[in-house]
Amino acid sequence: THTHTHTHNTHTHRYLKQDLPMLIQYAPTLPLMSISIKCLCTMVKSVGATRRRAPEMYTVVQKCFRYELDRLKDPNFKRKPRSLIVAGLFCRYSDFKLHLESGKTFAIDIKNVEELFQKSINEFVAHDGLAFKRAGFSCLGSLFVRKPDLIQRKDANRVLDGALQHSNEDIRMLAVTALTDFVGEDVSDTEATSLRNSMMQKFLSRILGCIYCEKEDTAAAALRLVETIQDRGQVHPQLCIP
């Protein structure tokens, strides 16, 4: 049994320190990258639940996260949009605390979430390139899940409102996707639920407007979001009829 446990721990160790970080770096699609990050964070949380393993697990998640932050600061690095999406996903799934010497600490701190929020709005959403805008909204969607009250900020409202009315339907799609992330996680937290309800009421008319987009993807995404809002009872059903 001891040998079996030791072998299992060695495999887990290698998987966490080598295989998953490698998969995150080279994942060919966003869904695979996203599920790899979620898997890494889930394993870090469970392995790091013991005080003895917590510092080591904290190092694993920090190393992956810092790698992306360094890339975002590197003026010569070309694939910044991807790094921003990855960093946002790490914030999204690292909402747990680990027992370190200094006490219980978030795997990825709220100050990092705030920093990425500013970067998403000021550098990426404001960028002319669609790839940068897409990364900005994708990161915002992840950050709204981690810290829902960010969506109440004036600058968040401004960029979402502007994008939902944009003449470019691809940009409208980005805002719909960020809002879908925001309402997608079904939470039992009453405060977060009431915040979601009020935000959906605020943006509902804009979302309904997106149902009439010529691009099928955008119209379908908006319709799915309306369905979620309707299912959750976030607004009066009659309001969902454009």
Side-chain angles (χ1 to χ4, degrees):
T1 309
H2 175 75
T3 312
H4 174 74
T5 309
H6 177 73
T7 309
H8 176 71
N9 285 343
T10 308
H11 284 318
T12 305
H13 209 253
R14 205 195 77 187
Y15 192 58
L16 268 166
K17 288 203 155 182
Q18 294 171 28
D19 301 353
L20 272 172
M22 190 73 82
L23 186 56
I24 292 162
Q25 284 312 307
Y26 297 104
T29 65
L30 186 59
L32 180 60
M33 185 171 77
S34 180
I35 205 75
S36 304
I37 294 168
K38 186 177 184 179
C39 182
L40 177 79
C41 291
T42 304
M43 288 181 76
V44 162
K45 183 181 179 181
S46 59
V47 176
T50 62
R51 210 175 273 273
R52 186 174 58 85
R53 299 297 296 275
E56 185 190 3
M57 290 301 99
Y58 181 74
T59 306
V60 168
V61 79
Q62 284 292 320
K63 188 179 175 187
C64 292
F65 182 63
R66 293 277 155 210
Y67 181 66
E68 302 304 337
L69 291 189
D70 289 345
R71 286 172 137 192
L72 285 169
K73 288 170 187 164
D74 180 357
N76 300 315
F77 182 66
K78 297 286 186 282
R79 297 174 69 201
K80 282 188 169 65
R82 190 182 194 279
S83 283
L84 187 80
I85 293 170
V86 173
L89 286 164
F90 267 107
C91 288
R92 177 178 186 157
Y93 296 121
S94 295
D95 59 341
F96 54 90
K97 290 183 174 180
L98 293 165
H99 289 272
L100 305 185
E101 292 278 314
S102 55
K104 281 188 92 173
T105 306
F106 271 116
I108 287 173
D109 204 88
I110 290 296
K111 71 176 191 302
N112 294 125
V113 174
E114 289 279 353
E115 189 185 322
L116 280 177
F117 177 75
Q118 295 302 333
K119 193 177 272 293
S120 296
I121 285 178
N122 299 331
E123 292 177 36
F124 284 79
V125 171
H127 201 282
D128 290 335
L130 190 62
F132 280 79
K133 282 189 188 298
R134 184 175 287 117
F137 278 106
S138 174
C139 188
L140 284 178
S142 290
L143 301 180
F144 293 155
V145 173
R146 170 69 188 271
K147 196 173 185 293
D149 63 346
L150 286 174
I151 203 167
Q152 288 180 299
R153 303 266 179 97
K154 275 185 183 170
D155 38 5
N157 269 250
R158 175 179 53 79
V159 298
L160 286 167
D161 213 35
L164 287 168
Q165 299 179 81
H166 206 282
S167 57
N168 183 330
E169 292 187 1
D170 287 327
I171 291 173
R172 291 169 88 173
M173 171 77 159
L174 302 181
V176 168
T177 307
L179 286 171
T180 302
D181 272 350
F182 174 66
V183 296
E185 301 275 326
D186 205 358
V187 288
S188 53
D189 180 354
T190 319
E191 202 176 313
T193 304
S194 67
L195 174 60
R196 282 174 184 174
N197 294 355
S198 66
M199 281 298 140
M200 287 306 104
Q201 284 163 23
K202 181 182 174 67
F203 290 116
L204 184 64
S205 63
R206 303 264 188 256
I207 297 163
L208 291 171
C210 293
I211 291 171
Y212 295 105
C213 283
E214 287 180 18
K215 286 202 168 208
E216 202 174 305
D217 292 3
T218 309
L223 199 53
R224 277 195 297 274
L225 179 52
V226 172
E227 183 188 19
T228 304
I229 294 166
Q230 172 88 316
D231 281 350
R232 297 267 173 86
Q234 290 175 319
V235 296
H236 191 285
Q238 281 184 314
L239 294 175
C240 288
I241 303 165

